[in-house]
Amino acid sequence: MADTTIRPIEDADVPGAAAALVEVHSTDGYPVEGVGDPEAWITPPGVVKAWVARRDDVVGHIAIMKAEGEKAVALWQQQSGEDQARIGVLARLFVVRSARKHAVGESLMRAAMNYAEENDLRLVLDVMEKDEAAIRLYERLGWQFIGGATHQFGEGQQIPAKCYVWPAS
């Protein structure tokens, strides 16, 4: 297995990340919204920081987004009183199937968590209940369940989700 490098995303990585996203959507149904414009999904407004996992090509991605009214943000604010300006939303984590079982997802998570700690951000996330491997990863890394949510997408579609907070020091 080739070495995997985790580093901040660069413009040149976006097409490869988009191709990896399309592959993950075809194997896992993530994201549930689909991938009609994968490059836009990788680079939406509100990205605070993003990373890619690379071998020869991009094999994974993660981002921290600005908090903008997500259910996980609201749940954490209700429970903690934390100012929204100090909350980041962990999002857009995916790893292609061929790179799984090699700690790529964990390495991407650790890059984001280190950034959050260095920048005094509390991270929250929501995850679809169907994404059991992701839930196991979050819980193994110490993320704490803070409540349930319903993820709305498409035309009236919805799917149950779980919300988590990272209890950084």
Side-chain angles (χ1 to χ4, degrees):
M1 172 93 352
D3 287 338
T4 304
T5 303
I6 308 296
R7 65 168 171 72
I9 194 169
E10 299 172 0
D11 289 345
D13 295 318
V14 173
L21 175 64
V22 170
E23 179 180 336
V24 169
H25 180 73
S26 72
T27 59
D28 301 315
Y30 176 84
V32 293
E33 291 87 358
V35 288
D37 189 349
E39 288 191 15
W41 195 86
I42 297 289
T43 60
V47 173
V48 173
K49 186 82 174 179
W51 296 262
V52 290
R54 288 194 63 99
R55 291 203 182 131
D56 294 330
D57 296 312
V58 174
V59 296
H61 174 274
I62 196 168
I64 297 175
M65 308 292 292
K66 188 186 317 180
E68 295 181 345
E70 294 85 352
K71 178 67 172 178
V73 172
L75 280 170
W76 181 242
Q77 285 186 288
Q78 290 168 3
Q79 295 173 24
S80 70
E82 188 115 43
D83 181 353
Q84 181 169 307
R86 289 197 57 242
I87 300 173
V89 178
L90 192 81
R92 291 167 163 69
L93 170 62
F94 59 88
V95 176
V96 298
R97 187 165 282 172
S98 64
R100 295 181 193 164
K101 308 283 187 205
H102 298 281
V104 174
E106 180 175 341
S107 296
L108 285 163
M109 291 284 298
R110 290 194 185 282
M113 294 183 311
N114 289 340
Y115 177 88
E117 195 160 40
E118 291 166 4
N119 290 277
D120 197 30
L121 279 178
R122 173 74 59 197
L123 294 178
V124 299
L125 63 81
D126 69 45
V127 56
M128 306 312 109
E129 287 182 4
K130 72 176 186 63
D131 295 328
E132 295 172 1
I135 291 169
R136 285 191 303 273
L137 172 63
Y138 303 143
E139 291 177 351
R140 186 168 46 80
L141 292 176
W143 288 66
Q144 296 174 348
F145 176 74
I146 56 173
T150 301
H151 182 77
Q152 311 282 339
F153 65 100
E155 293 187 30
Q157 294 177 289
Q158 57 187 27
I159 188 168
K162 292 182 171 188
C163 299
Y164 286 83
V165 64
W166 180 51
S169 57

